[in-house]
Amino acid sequence: MGSVQIVTTILAAGITAVAVWLAVRAVMKMTAVIRLGQPAPERFADKGARTRKMLVETAGHTRMLKWGVVGAAHWFVMVGFIVLSLLVLEAYFEVVTPTGGLPIIGHWTVFGLATEIITVLGLVGILVLMAIRLRNRPNRPGGRSRFTGSTMWQGYFVEWIVLLVLIFGLVIRGFKVATDHFEYPVWATPVSHAVGAILPDWSDGASVAALIKIVISMTWLIVISLNVTMGVAWHRFLAFPNIFFKRDPEKPAGSGLGPLRPMTSEGKPLDFEEADPEKDQFGVAQVEQFTWKGLLDFSTCTECGRCQSQCPAWNTGKPLSPKLLVLSLRDHAYAKAPYLLAGGGKDLTGEEKATQAQLAHLDVLSLAEGDKPLIGTAEEGGVIDPDVLWSCTTCGACVEQCPVDIEHVDHIVDMRRYQVLIESSFPSEAGVMLRNLENKGNPWGAPQNTREDWTKGLDFEVPRVGEVDDFEYLFWVGCAGAFEDRAKKTTRAVATLLNEAGVSFAILGEGETCSGDPARRIGNEFVFQMLAQQNVETLNEAFEGREKTKRKIVATCPHCFNTLGNEYGQLGGEFEVVHHTQLLAHLVSTGKLTPVQPVDGGVTYHDPCYLGRHNRVFAAPREVLGDSIQGELTEMPRNSERSFCCGAGGARMWMEEKIGKRINVDRVEEAMATGARTVAVGCPFCSTMLNDGVNGKGAGEQVEVVDVASVLLRSVKPEQPRGDKEATPVVG
């Protein structure tokens, strides 16, 4: 060992010791913060499925590859980080001796070939990612960036570290080539040999370059250890457990889509008959009341902004960005952690749990963080502004796009639950809807005895449950389908088509009440459970004696479809629920319905969030429309899993949209730009919102918004009248 190697070895050992010590301290701090969250015992079930899903999503990059070039570049960088960590380890042998290498595998040609390929592809990948970040920098001219609000220096820092580590890996090999100490042939490592051809014959070059590589790597570790909220770096480690502990590992897309998490207290579902607000947790009022998985979510956020770029609220000038919401909760959790770890915090009655002695050593900033309200305006010092909380449509675009499976919608609704149930703080106009649900069983407050009025004038009898001995499908009409004028046209169209196809079905009539979706999404779990339990009891009675596969329900409203099929199981209601477009597609494909007259003028289709993104029903409505128009559907740029919301979900249907551009107008402009005369929908909420948008644009004579079922009915029975012009729009 020469003098140069003595120096490089000492320096490498010194900086590594500091970095490792800081990293261990950082990991302990992060673990302590995440453990502050509430229990979530269900996250440990199905370990085999969780392991498989984690490996598929990480190794296969299934979430990232949807973004094409970005996903591919990120995959090469990820693989480079994992595999080329061996070359960082090898650098510790090379600082000791310039001819050093990894034991055993370090001399294998296949190892040299593999690391050469990964290095080159990693270099290409990181350069692509750097170019994309620069092209989308927040201060660039024109448009909002998905990086707006991200801590840009951290992204640049991480990317430059990766680039320099890869470059110095080649430099080390180049010096070995130049000094004739390289063990791999030219065919396996052509780039390394090319670098060696331009480097001098410096015997200590490999050791010095190895030291620089170690210093760069350990500088990265030191910086991220001193910044535990640096998600752009820490996600390399946290993404694996965050994906492993996702809510439902069997889901093809975002785990937090479809049903909401039930309300829990101390990790157990909340029983409203026995719950006590002074002893049981109602929603989330403090950051430590999120589950530990929620705190892991916040810690894992990469600040990539994919959620932000797809969010309908953010894209129409609302203050909500799913990314910024998560970052605010993350920063608050870590700033509040010293206070909480010292024993501080408020109990469920609002009283301080810690003694003065426990808090005496804390700095004023930690104490101040402990006093911040989770929801509050800037003047109140709140972490999350109320306008942010109530801008969410729960469309799920953020959850679907997140590459590390953060469950944004669950966290937003948990905060809403506390605001509604304990604080009674929510947009005032939504109060009318909630009172109508409690008193009338529907959001419009219509009399229950008018639920069957839509059947009047039909040329066939609509059977009721109890009046017929048997039926294949229970037709869940829904509140909109029973009371809202446009939606009643859809209900009549579906009933007509089912009758035409010879499908035996029955309705509950006055026995049906609201599914509870608006109440649950706004945060009123009590009203949801009241309605849901009543419906579950009614449905179980209607299907008495049938096994689950024969307890079939068809629904025209995706919100009812999602609630009955995905959430009623939490309350003992197990049913096979299909959307009407799925059933109609089946009836057409089996020849029970035959489209005969093409619908002309061009048709585009708007994917309802709770049908498409939340429940992955994309093909069925398109198949029905394709058969009806006997041609190609004109797709909007944002469609299928990236469809843009109509603005009505999350109970926004019953709240005024006062900030920024109206979401439905943005969507209508996109639909009109296709040139299609007909905008087909599969949801009564979407129908209302898009009709209002069309009328607001003064385009009611040029563009018609109509349900998929009505489009099919016109094709099957061409004598059906066109247009919904006489219908009175419901303002959301």
Side-chain angles (χ1 to χ4, degrees):
M1 180 186 290
S3 58
V4 171
Q5 283 69 42
I6 293 173
V7 172
T8 55
T9 301
I10 292 172
L11 292 176
I15 194 169
T16 301
V18 171
V20 169
W21 176 74
L22 290 173
V24 170
R25 191 181 68 166
V27 169
M28 291 175 65
K29 180 177 181 179
M30 295 176 77
T31 303
V33 171
I34 292 167
R35 286 170 61 88
L36 287 169
Q38 300 302 303
E42 73 280 2
R43 304 284 180 168
F44 294 92
D46 303 318
K47 291 184 177 66
R50 292 180 181 280
T51 302
R52 286 192 300 273
K53 178 61 73 170
M54 180 193 69
L55 293 174
V56 168
E57 283 198 21
T58 52
H61 248 44
T62 52
R63 306 294 292 277
M64 286 290 296
L65 287 176
K66 291 184 294 186
W67 288 78
V69 172
V70 178
H74 191 276
W75 187 84
F76 289 129
V77 172
M78 181 201 73
V79 171
F81 176 79
I82 295 172
V83 176
L84 299 183
S85 295
L86 291 173
L87 296 187
V88 176
L89 176 61
E90 187 175 51
Y92 285 93
F93 293 90
E94 291 160 339
V95 294
V96 177
T97 172
T99 61
L102 282 176
I104 304 174
I105 65 171
H107 299 283
W108 293 355
T109 299
V110 68
F111 176 73
L113 173 63
T115 51
E116 184 88 351
I117 293 172
I118 293 170
T119 298
V120 173
L121 294 177
L123 278 169
V124 173
I126 197 62
L127 288 171
V128 168
L129 294 181
M130 292 173 81
I132 290 171
R133 187 179 293 272
L134 287 169
R135 189 183 66 194
N136 291 282
R137 64 191 185 280
N139 59 352
R140 81 196 196 287
R144 282 187 168 186
S145 165
R146 65 183 174 94
F147 292 118
T148 298
S150 297
T151 314
M152 293 301 289
W153 77 261
Q154 295 180 352
Y156 294 137
F157 172 78
V158 168
E159 287 167 348
W160 273 101
I161 288 290
V162 172
L163 179 63
L164 291 173
V165 167
L166 291 171
I167 289 173
F168 273 91
L170 289 173
V171 170
I172 294 169
R173 288 185 161 189
F175 275 120
K176 286 186 173 182
V177 170
T179 56
D180 200 25
H181 290 125
F182 199 47
E183 53 269 81
Y184 308 123
V186 176
W187 68 264
T189 54
V191 178
S192 296
H193 279 83
V195 172
I198 60 175
L199 289 178
D201 181 0
W202 181 23
S203 60
D204 295 323
S207 293
V208 173
L211 173 64
I212 295 173
K213 183 176 181 177
I214 290 170
V215 168
I216 293 170
S217 301
M218 293 304 108
T219 298
W220 173 79
L221 188 56
I222 289 169
V223 170
I224 73 167
S225 297
L226 295 174
N227 293 272
V228 290
T229 58
M230 195 171 174
V232 70
W234 281 106
H235 84 274
R236 296 180 177 203
F237 309 106
L238 297 178
F240 297 97
N242 208 55
I243 294 170
F244 180 87
F245 289 116
K246 65 179 353 186
R247 178 143 61 89
D248 185 353
E250 299 293 354
K251 279 199 172 180
S255 173
L257 294 172
L260 287 171
R261 281 185 69 251
M263 280 183 67
T264 60
S265 181
E266 294 295 329
K268 300 176 182 177
L270 198 64
D271 184 346
F272 277 94
E273 293 184 3
E274 300 179 359
D276 181 352
E278 294 189 359
K279 297 179 182 178
D280 297 297
Q281 181 180 315
F282 279 59
V284 169
Q286 304 289 336
V287 73
E288 65 271 20
Q289 291 178 348
F290 287 106
T291 66
W292 60 261
K293 174 57 168 62
L295 296 178
L296 179 59
D297 270 358
F298 308 152
S299 302
T300 308
C301 179
T302 72
E303 303 190 27
C304 67
R306 287 176 176 80
C307 58
Q308 182 172 284
S309 69
Q310 300 294 302
C311 177
W314 178 258
N315 278 285
T316 54
K318 314 293 189 292
L320 169 64
S321 156
K323 176 186 72 178
L324 298 180
L325 178 139
V326 166
L327 298 186
S328 295
L329 293 170
R330 177 199 69 188
D331 293 345
H332 173 59
Y334 280 87
K336 190 178 181 181
Y339 162 71
L340 295 171
L341 293 171
K346 305 292 192 296
D347 62 21
L348 295 173
T349 65
E351 296 295 320
E352 175 59 58
K353 293 188 289 187
T355 64
Q356 287 294 325
Q358 287 176 298
L359 303 180
H361 68 285
L362 294 179
D363 63 67
V364 66
L365 294 178
S366 296
L367 292 171
E369 203 72 31
D371 288 331
K372 279 187 177 181
L374 190 64
I375 306 298
T377 62
E379 292 76 17
E380 296 166 337
V383 179
I384 304 297
D385 191 279
D387 284 335
V388 170
L389 185 68
W390 297 110
S391 290
C392 180
T393 66
T394 68
C395 71
C398 50
V399 177
E400 199 275 338
Q401 288 296 314
C402 182
V404 291
D405 279 301
I406 293 172
E407 297 161 8
H408 311 73
V409 173
D410 282 340
H411 304 321
I412 288 171
V413 173
D414 271 341
M415 291 186 284
R416 284 183 172 187
R417 284 165 167 167
Y418 179 83
Q419 294 300 305
V420 172
L421 294 171
I422 302 299
E423 297 290 338
S424 296
S425 176
F426 50 88
S428 57
E429 60 269 22
V432 176
M433 177 268 291
L434 289 172
R435 286 193 294 275
N436 285 337
L437 287 178
E438 288 191 74
N439 299 327
K440 299 289 188 178
N442 68 85
W444 285 278
Q448 185 72 355
N449 60 11
T450 63
R451 268 196 181 267
E452 299 178 36
D453 284 0
W454 64 271
T455 63
K456 295 177 181 177
L458 291 173
D459 57 6
F460 58 91
E461 188 71 24
V462 177
R464 280 75 173 167
V465 172
E467 296 178 2
V468 289
D469 293 331
D470 195 22
F471 54 89
E472 185 178 3
Y473 286 95
L474 188 150
F475 182 13
W476 182 271
V477 176
C479 299
F483 301 121
E484 200 269 318
D485 287 338
R486 282 196 203 91
K488 283 195 280 188
K489 295 178 184 296
T490 301
T491 306
R492 291 165 64 89
V494 171
T496 301
L497 289 166
L498 294 182
N499 182 70
E500 185 80 9
V503 175
S504 62
F505 69 96
I507 63 171
L508 289 172
E510 293 183 28
E512 183 183 301
T513 191
C514 180
S515 68
D517 166 85
R520 188 168 227 199
R521 265 68 196 171
I522 202 173
N524 197 326
E525 185 75 4
F526 177 79
V527 171
F528 164 73
Q529 292 207 17
M530 177 186 73
L531 295 167
Q533 286 170 353
Q534 179 180 336
N535 282 326
V536 167
E537 184 177 336
T538 301
L539 290 168
N540 282 339
E541 185 177 335
F543 288 120
E544 189 173 5
R546 296 194 193 190
E547 57 190 69
K548 182 183 175 180
T549 56
K550 294 183 179 180
R551 295 155 67 93
K552 298 180 181 179
I553 299 174
V554 58
T556 58
C557 174
H559 297 265
C560 296
F561 165 67
N562 178 69
T563 303
L564 271 64
N566 293 328
E567 297 186 335
Y568 276 16
Q570 299 170 2
L571 300 169
E574 297 290 339
F575 314 109
E576 291 288 339
V577 187
V578 298
H579 188 251
H580 71 284
T581 59
Q582 293 175 296
L583 181 54
L584 294 178
H586 171 72
L587 295 175
V588 172
S589 68
T590 55
K592 294 182 179 179
L593 289 173
T594 305
V596 294
Q597 178 67 49
V599 177
D600 58 8
V603 178
T604 189
Y605 174 64
H606 163 78
D607 288 274
C609 299
Y610 273 84
L611 180 64
R613 191 156 38 237
H614 278 281
N615 285 285
R616 320 309 291 176
V617 179
F618 301 119
R622 287 174 168 80
E623 290 168 3
V624 173
L625 292 171
D627 290 327
S628 301
I629 64 178
Q630 297 180 22
E632 289 294 320
L633 192 67
T634 304
E635 291 282 11
M636 286 182 260
R638 294 177 292 192
N639 64 76
S640 302
E641 67 270 9
R642 293 187 187 173
S643 179
F644 198 68
C645 183
C646 75
R652 288 294 321 175
M653 178 87 169
W654 290 274
M655 301 182 223
E656 293 295 331
E657 196 170 346
K658 302 172 183 176
I659 305 172
K661 183 180 183 180
R662 292 182 67 86
I663 294 172
N664 60 337
V665 171
D666 191 294
R667 186 57 165 170
V668 161
E669 289 174 352
E670 185 174 8
M672 291 174 62
T674 66
R677 287 186 55 202
T678 300
V679 180
V681 298
C683 171
F685 288 4
C686 296
S687 176
T688 295
M689 299 301 285
L690 297 188
N691 264 297
D692 289 352
V694 167
N695 293 334
K697 298 289 291 184
E701 297 301 319
Q702 294 81 42
V703 179
E704 180 186 23
V705 180
V706 65
D707 191 87
V708 171
S710 296
V711 176
L712 178 61
L713 184 60
R714 291 172 187 171
S715 183
V716 172
K717 303 181 74 172
E719 71 276 9
Q720 292 295 313
R722 290 180 62 89
D724 291 338
K725 301 298 185 272
E726 74 277 12
T728 302
V730 175
V731 178

